[in-house]
Amino acid sequence: MMIRSLLRRAFITRSSARTISSAPEANTVCVLGKEYKRDDMTNVTPSLLEKVGRELHNTKDHPINLLKKLIVHHFHKTYINTAGNPLFTSIENIPPVVTTEQNFDSLCVAKDHISRSRSDSYYINSETMLRTHTSAHQRDFIKMGLDRFLVTGDVYRRDEIDSTHYPVFHQMEGVRVYLKQNLLPRSKTMFEDGEETDEKQSRHTLETSKALELELKTTLERLVKYIFGEETQTRWNSCYFPFTHPSFELEILFRGEWVEMLGSGIMRQEILDDAGASFKTGWAFGLGLDRLSMLLFSIPDIRLLWSKDERFIDQFKHITLPMLTKENLNKKDLSFKPFSTFLPRCEDVAFWITPEFNENDFHELVRATCGDIVEKVELIDSFENSKTGKVSRCYRLVYRSMDRAVTKDEVDELHSKLRENIEKLLPVELR
């Protein structure tokens, strides 16, 4: 019941989004039926808020939902207690609105970390935001006493525009927390007052860190082999996350190419301290469901995942969990079949930038002005004027819808509006 009390479902309607758009002087913004005060940090847009509440991971027959169910099934089947009940709790309905403290401070993210900037994250106001990762809920569930859990949800980040990037995507967070007797039953302690090295945190013994690393890697390699087959080749790379150390990325060899699957690591002990579990240690991983589902089902453009065209979702209604096996991955039954092909229309825009210019802000303005009709934004030219020192950038926008033809008049109108907004809202000078 404690978990259910956290859950709330609602939708922001198109009419409310239009109200926000048409009344920029309004001092509140509505998200999931709740009003929040705007302030200097507010940067959510009506077009983005229309996506909040869609919950593709809970949409029946959707590829992301199918992949989520496959992973949850694996954990529930593989990790059970003596009574045959699943050890991992699956949590799938937590709204994406969190506090900045949850999203950053609870995860040891430095005050000056780039992810906190308005150019990288979506803020409702200075204290409230749309989560950038499902890790934002780690501390809360550990504090509730959960030692094994999966959290699946929609997450939001400002990013570039191309076939694999979108401002909303779906992530699954996995956490496993251990008491000493579960991890190192023969050891005297899991902790020490030492120094942090590449292999361990200052609070952990080397034995603790290595035991956690082995448990983590074994769990995740077992997962990818379940999805892609026992013969799947894997490799681990060291990386950096503020909330884990040491940290690792897992790649698999898929159809002849190495593909990043997930990020993971040993949880920062400070997170467990803050959750009232300083006597425990643990690991965590974060897995992006959108790009992985695109791989599994051969979906060429991430915008298709958000399509409301019945020709998209109807293609996956016949797929059941038993069909999602290595033997079937390359069969036409599981591959997306394009239902339309339209020619792209390209337009360029060039401007002189200032030191305050941020490319993510430009991409966000393109999305807010043109919506999902823009397939790609690519920097095609950049140069510095030797006399004035000014820097010029030229971007090519590819206009193409996935489900209908886009007319020249429509593109001309959108591109003209985009130029107007660039001139009004960005620290640039149009060329």
Side-chain angles (χ1 to χ4, degrees):
M1 293 301 292
M2 292 179 69
I3 293 176
R4 289 184 181 178
S5 68
L6 294 173
L7 309 181
R8 175 167 54 87
R9 291 180 179 221
F11 288 85
I12 180 168
T13 64
R14 288 184 177 271
S15 60
S16 60
R18 282 195 297 269
T19 300
I20 294 170
S21 177
S22 62
E25 71 280 0
N27 59 5
T28 63
V29 56
C30 181
V31 187
L32 294 172
K34 183 177 179 179
E35 297 289 335
Y36 296 86
K37 287 187 176 181
R38 293 176 177 267
D39 60 24
D40 291 342
M41 289 296 288
T42 304
N43 65 352
V44 291
T45 63
S47 60
L48 179 79
L49 292 177
E50 288 181 353
K51 307 291 192 299
V52 179
R54 286 280 302 276
E55 294 189 354
L56 302 185
H57 61 289
N58 289 328
T59 300
K60 188 176 183 296
D61 299 321
H62 196 282
I64 292 176
N65 174 260
L66 292 170
L67 178 59
K68 177 206 70 177
K69 290 197 296 186
L70 180 67
I71 297 172
V72 171
H73 174 73
H74 165 72
F75 275 93
H76 283 181
K77 181 185 71 171
T78 306
Y79 306 97
I80 57 177
N81 60 20
T82 54
N85 297 317
L87 290 171
F88 276 82
T89 301
S90 180
I91 305 152
E92 305 172 1
N93 298 288
I94 304 179
V97 177
V98 298
T99 65
T100 54
E101 192 277 336
Q102 283 177 295
N103 198 76
F104 296 123
D105 299 282
S106 78
L107 292 165
C108 307
V109 179
K111 295 292 185 184
D112 60 351
H113 195 276
I114 184 62
S115 63
R116 289 181 182 258
S117 76
R118 293 177 75 254
S119 295
D120 278 60
S121 297
Y122 288 104
Y123 286 88
I124 298 171
N125 54 42
S126 57
E127 297 181 353
T128 315
M129 63 187 301
L130 296 175
R131 64 188 168 213
T132 63
H133 41 209
T134 45
S135 307
H137 306 288
Q138 271 186 18
R139 180 193 60 190
D140 298 333
F141 286 112
I142 295 172
K143 186 177 290 188
M144 290 169 58
L146 296 183
D147 285 344
R148 302 174 181 88
F149 55 89
L150 305 169
V151 180
T152 309
D154 43 336
V155 298
Y156 300 76
R157 298 180 193 174
R158 292 165 67 108
D159 214 335
E160 58 194 282
I161 299 176
D162 60 30
S163 63
T164 62
H165 290 85
Y166 205 75
V168 192
F169 58 102
H170 299 78
Q171 193 176 66
M172 177 180 286
E173 181 86 4
V175 172
R176 172 71 168 98
V177 176
Y178 298 81
L179 292 165
K180 187 183 80 65
Q181 58 263 35
N182 302 131
L183 183 69
L184 297 171
R186 295 182 179 85
S187 179
K188 292 182 179 180
T189 180
M190 294 192 296
F191 305 105
E192 69 176 12
D193 185 12
E195 294 184 359
E196 182 161 302
T197 68
D198 290 343
E199 295 182 287
K200 73 176 195 72
Q201 298 174 37
S202 62
R203 300 268 299 283
H204 294 166
T205 65
L206 183 59
E207 185 182 15
T208 297
S209 188
K210 289 301 181 183
L212 288 168
E213 180 181 339
L214 177 61
E215 290 274 328
L216 167 66
K217 290 183 175 180
T218 299
T219 300
L220 295 178
E221 287 176 1
R222 185 178 292 147
L223 170 63
V224 299
K225 290 179 186 294
Y226 169 74
I227 298 175
F228 295 98
E230 285 296 323
E231 73 283 6
T232 303
Q233 296 183 47
T234 62
R235 69 182 183 189
W236 291 93
N237 302 315
S238 295
C239 60
Y240 168 78
F241 301 113
F243 30 86
T244 56
H245 180 77
S247 303
F248 316 97
E249 289 178 341
L250 174 60
E251 295 182 335
I252 65 167
L253 188 62
F254 183 73
R255 295 174 182 166
E257 295 185 5
W258 285 102
V259 179
E260 181 186 330
M261 275 285 295
L262 52 84
S264 63
I266 312 306
M267 293 178 65
R268 281 285 179 186
Q269 194 60 37
E270 293 85 348
I271 298 174
L272 292 159
D273 293 346
D274 196 24
S278 57
F279 52 95
K280 299 179 180 179
T281 56
W283 50 253
F285 72 86
L287 184 152
L289 296 175
D290 300 61
R291 292 186 193 175
L292 182 53
S293 67
M294 291 172 68
L295 285 175
L296 287 174
F297 300 108
S298 302
I299 297 171
D301 194 301
I302 197 169
R303 293 175 300 162
L304 280 164
L305 296 175
W306 291 89
S307 174
K308 294 182 179 179
D309 194 313
E310 292 182 359
R311 291 174 295 177
F312 176 74
I313 201 71
D314 283 351
Q315 294 192 27
F316 304 97
K317 287 184 176 180
H318 71 287
I319 298 177
T320 60
L321 286 186
M323 294 177 65
L324 295 173
T325 64
K326 168 64 176 175
E327 290 71 26
N328 287 328
L329 284 182
N330 292 315
K331 292 183 179 179
K332 293 182 179 180
D333 281 358
L334 298 186
S335 294
F336 168 73
K337 302 170 187 63
F339 47 77
S340 57
T341 302
F342 299 104
L343 294 177
R345 295 184 181 274
C346 299
E347 293 288 345
D348 297 345
V349 60
F351 42 75
W352 301 103
I353 66 172
T354 65
E356 292 77 26
F357 174 76
N358 184 286
E359 191 169 68
N360 274 358
D361 294 337
F362 170 59
H363 284 277
E364 186 62 24
L365 185 60
V366 173
R367 283 194 171 102
T369 305
C370 306
D372 284 354
I373 287 180
V374 176
E375 176 180 273
K376 184 179 181 180
V377 175
E378 181 182 11
L379 178 65
I380 61 172
D381 185 49
S382 180
F383 71 89
E384 181 176 344
N385 186 304
S386 58
K387 294 182 178 180
T388 65
K390 287 185 174 181
V391 175
S392 170
R393 289 190 181 181
C394 181
Y395 291 88
R396 176 155 295 159
L397 280 70
V398 179
Y399 291 86
R400 174 161 50 186
S401 171
M402 300 303 295
D403 50 22
R404 65 180 180 84
V406 180
T407 67
K408 182 180 184 303
D409 288 346
E410 184 178 4
V411 170
D412 289 346
E413 182 178 352
L414 283 174
H415 202 68
S416 176
K417 182 63 176 177
L418 176 63
R419 287 181 61 88
E420 291 179 18
N421 287 341
I422 289 172
E423 195 166 36
K424 291 178 184 176
L425 302 173
L426 293 182
V428 301
E429 179 185 345
L430 284 173
R431 294 180 56 208

